[in-house]
Amino acid sequence: MKLTFFGGAGTVTGSKILLEVNYKKILIDCGLFQGLKELRLKNREPLPINLSDLDVVLLTHAHLDHCGYLPVLVKNGYQGKIYCTEATRDLTEIILLDSGKIQKEEAERANRYGYTKHKPAEPLYDVDDAKETLAHFKTFEENVWHAIDEEIRFKFINSGHILGSVFIVLEVKSKIFVFSGDIGRKEPILLHPYSYIQKADYLVIESTYGNRIHENVSIEDELLRTIKHTYTKRGILIIPTFSVERAQEIIYILSVLKRKNLLPNIPIYLDSPMGVNATAVYFKHTKNHMLTTADINSMIATVELISNIDASKAIVNDDNPKIVLAGSGMITGGRVLHYLDKYISDKKNSVLIVGFQAEGTRGRALLEGDREIKFFGKYHKIQAEVFKINAFSGHADQSELLDWLTHFTSPPTLTFINHGEPHQSQALKTKIKTDLGWNCTVAKMNKEYYLS
C-alpha cells in the first residue's frame, strides 16, 4: 500500500492524494492550485498518474482547491467515476461551470489587452470540459458502507465544513484509512457539527489553522460595527465572499441583524451568479443544515440576489452607500474585481475580509498592508479601509482539531498532516506529539509513503 500527495502538502491548495493498493488506484480529491504563481503553474504540469490505471476518485467536498482539477483529469483521458455526496455533486457542478467560464474569460481578456506572456493565453479548461466532467459523478449516502470491490469499501461521514462535506473512511484488507478533507467548526453557524470517528490505522488530517485558536468574539457585533463605520462615512462596504458556505452564513447573520432592526436602511446585494446558485442548492438540501423555513424566508427578504450582468454593472456604477457580497473570496477573480476597480482607491469605502487568504492572493496582500494590488493588467492604489473578521472560518482551529482527534479510541499507526502552510502543519505535528503521543509526520509533495 502506498500514499502519494500530489497537492495540499506544504500548502492549503491543490489537494490530491493517491492511494495505491496492489491492483487499485484511488484518488482522494482533485483540487486546483491557487495563490502563488509557482503553485498555479503546477496546474499546467501533467499529473504523474497513468489515468487509464486510475480506478476511482473520491471527493470530500466541493471547494475549488479540492475539486477544481477534475475537468483537467477528464480532459486528459480519465474515464472512471467520481464518488461524492449529493450536495457535493450539486455544488461542484456550480463551481466547475463557473471556473471554466472565468478561466475562458480571463484568457480572452489577457489576449485582448496583451498582458500575457503566452501567445495566445489558453484556459486550463472551459465550460464544455466542466460539463463533460459532470457525467462521471455518482452520489452516495452518508454513514453507510459502500463497496468499491470485494476487498475495498468506503463510507462518507459528515465533516461540518461546507454543505455536503465529508470525512472519507476507506477499509482496505482490514486496514482503515481516514481522510479528513477539511474539518469544520465544533459549533458551526448553519451546519450540523462534525461527526467523530473512533478508529483509523492511517489518518490524513488537514492543518489550515493548525497553529492558532480562533477568536471568541461575536461575529454579529463585529459585522455590525464594520457596517455602521462604513455607513457613517457614506461609503460602500465590499465583502469578497466565498460563494459556498461563507455567503450563506453572512446572509443569515445579516437577516438576523435586520430582524433586530439594527441595520442601516441601505441595499444589500449578493452579486455572484455562483453564490446565487449555491444558495439555491443550500435551500434545497434542508437535511444538511439547521436553517428553518422562517430563517430561509428571512434570508431571501434581506439580500437581493444578482446574476444578470446588466444588473451587476448598474450596481457597480451606483455610488450610493450599499453592502456588496461578491466573489471571489480571495479576490483571485470574479465580480468583486469590478467593485474594487471603482471603489478601492476611495478612503470612504471599506473592504471586509471574511475568510482564509492563501499566499499570493490579492486578499492576502490586502491583509498584509500592501499599498496597491494588480488586476485587469494594472495596479490599483489601496485607499479604502481594510477590515477582517477572524472568527469567520469554516476550518477547525487547533483546539477543535485536537477535540476531533481525541475521540479516536486508539492512536493510528501513522498520522499524516497536510493542507497547511509549513509553520501551521509543523505546529499541529508538535501539538499532536506532545499532547497525544501519536506517531505523525508532515506530508511532503510528491513523496511516496509505503505502508505496511
Side-chain angles (χ1 to χ4, degrees), residues 29-88:
D29 285 337
C30 190
L32 206 61
F33 285 102
Q34 299 168 284
L36 293 171
K37 185 177 181 180
E38 65 190 69
L39 289 174
R40 288 185 280 113
L41 289 175
K42 292 182 179 296
N43 293 323
R44 300 285 177 175
E45 299 174 3
L47 193 64
I49 300 174
N50 186 340
L51 296 182
S52 62
D53 293 338
L54 184 60
D55 293 283
V56 68
V57 179
L58 301 179
L59 201 57
T60 62
H61 67 286
H63 275 151
L64 200 64
D65 62 324
H66 290 258
C67 73
Y69 194 80
L70 285 170
V72 181
L73 207 69
V74 173
K75 188 177 180 180
N76 290 341
Y78 176 63
Q79 297 180 352
K81 292 294 184 180
I82 300 163
Y83 293 172
C84 62
T85 64
E86 184 180 352
T88 292

Side-chain angles (χ1 to χ4, degrees), residues 260-273:
K260 293 179 179 178
N261 294 316
L262 294 174
L263 288 179
N265 186 24
I266 55 175
I268 304 172
Y269 303 101
L270 173 61
D271 189 356
S272 165

Side-chain angles (χ1 to χ4, degrees), residues 281-294:
V281 170
Y282 212 97
F283 294 163
K284 169 186 172 184
H285 290 278
T286 55
K287 292 182 180 179
N288 293 87
H289 57 73
M290 298 184 292
L291 292 172
T292 66
T293 301

